Amino acid sequence: MQSQAAHLTPGTALAVADGEGRNGVWLAQQGLQVDAFDFSDNAIRKARALAQIRKVNVNFVCSDWQSYDWQPSHYDNVVGIFFQFAAPEERSLLFARMLDSLKPGGTLIIQGYTHRQLDFNTGGPGKLAHLYDEALMLDAFGQLDILDLRTYEAEIAEGTGHQGMSGLLGLTARKPKD
């Protein structure tokens, strides 16, 4: 996500399924007003502790994505990093909620694992249907102005669940202004 920092829109951000808060805290360190949610109470506790250590404010909410209070056109940035828990039949609704909550002119950033990740086995869902490719991103977000869409391999260290050489996809896009 740091490589896409220049594309962030000043204002507010939502960190989707933020786990232990690394992304939400990083967004707050960039001067954004951040909401973040995750379904795990334990992860939220760790996220709050991280925010306190880093001396930033993040509004962490314990919620699954289905119950989260998705507010239409509310966020200047919506960020989802390694949130590939949704099965394909749910994913389109999750993506629609993310898109709907983004303000016109706002930035969407998604990073996830590609099919190549099954060869590396260094994190991620381990289910082929949960992995991303560029066609899926274009189908879901093609109405946005695509700023960066790439499939690549890189060594990552994103906590114990995401570490090592990985097959990745990154999408950065901007919602057209009305």
Side-chain angles (χ1 to χ4, degrees), residues 144-157:
L144 302 180
D145 297 327
I146 305 297
L147 304 175
D148 188 35
L149 176 59
R150 68 179 74 183
T151 301
Y152 60 102
E153 295 173 4
E155 187 87 23
I156 63 168

Side-chain angles (χ1 to χ4, degrees), residues 2-174:
Q2 291 178 353
S3 66
Q4 300 302 315
H7 295 297
L8 291 170
T9 303
T12 58
L14 172 64
V16 175
D18 198 32
E20 296 178 5
R22 284 185 299 278
N23 297 308
V25 166
W26 183 85
L27 289 164
Q29 289 175 312
Q30 307 315 299
L32 299 170
Q33 180 183 338
V34 181
D35 291 339
F37 71 88
D38 195 87
F39 71 93
S40 167
D41 284 324
N42 189 44
I44 293 295
R45 277 193 296 278
K46 290 179 179 181
R48 288 182 176 138
L50 179 63
Q52 188 173 19
I53 289 166
R54 301 274 172 88
K55 299 180 177 15
V56 294
N57 292 317
V58 177
N59 177 35
F60 289 108
V61 176
C62 188
S63 176
D64 60 25
W65 71 268
Q66 297 94 331
S67 304
Y68 184 73
D69 182 17
W70 297 93
Q71 298 176 41
S73 298
H74 185 74
Y75 295 102
D76 296 296
N77 303 276
V78 175
V79 176
I81 309 295
F82 299 126
F83 67 109
Q84 291 172 264
F85 51 80
E89 59 273 9
E90 299 176 310
R91 185 171 49 218
S92 60
L93 180 57
L94 172 58
F95 284 175
R97 288 185 180 173
M98 291 171 67
L99 187 57
D100 187 51
S101 70
L102 191 60
K103 289 180 184 177
T107 301
L108 174 73
I109 297 175
I110 292 177
Q111 183 175 18
Y113 290 115
T114 65
H115 304 113
R116 183 85 169 98
Q117 184 60 17
L118 295 176
D119 297 329
F120 294 118
N121 196 28
T122 54
K127 298 177 184 175
L128 183 61
H130 289 236
L131 300 173
Y132 297 159
D133 61 31
E134 291 184 18
L136 174 69
M137 292 295 116
L138 290 172
D139 185 52
F141 303 110
Q143 70 274 40
L144 302 180
D145 297 327
I146 305 297
L147 304 175
D148 188 35
L149 176 59
R150 68 179 74 183
T151 301
Y152 60 102
E153 295 173 4
E155 187 87 23
I156 63 168
E158 298 281 330
T160 57
H162 309 282
Q163 192 152 348
M165 185 56 76
S166 301
L168 304 169
L169 175 138
L171 168 72
T172 303
R174 184 150 295 128

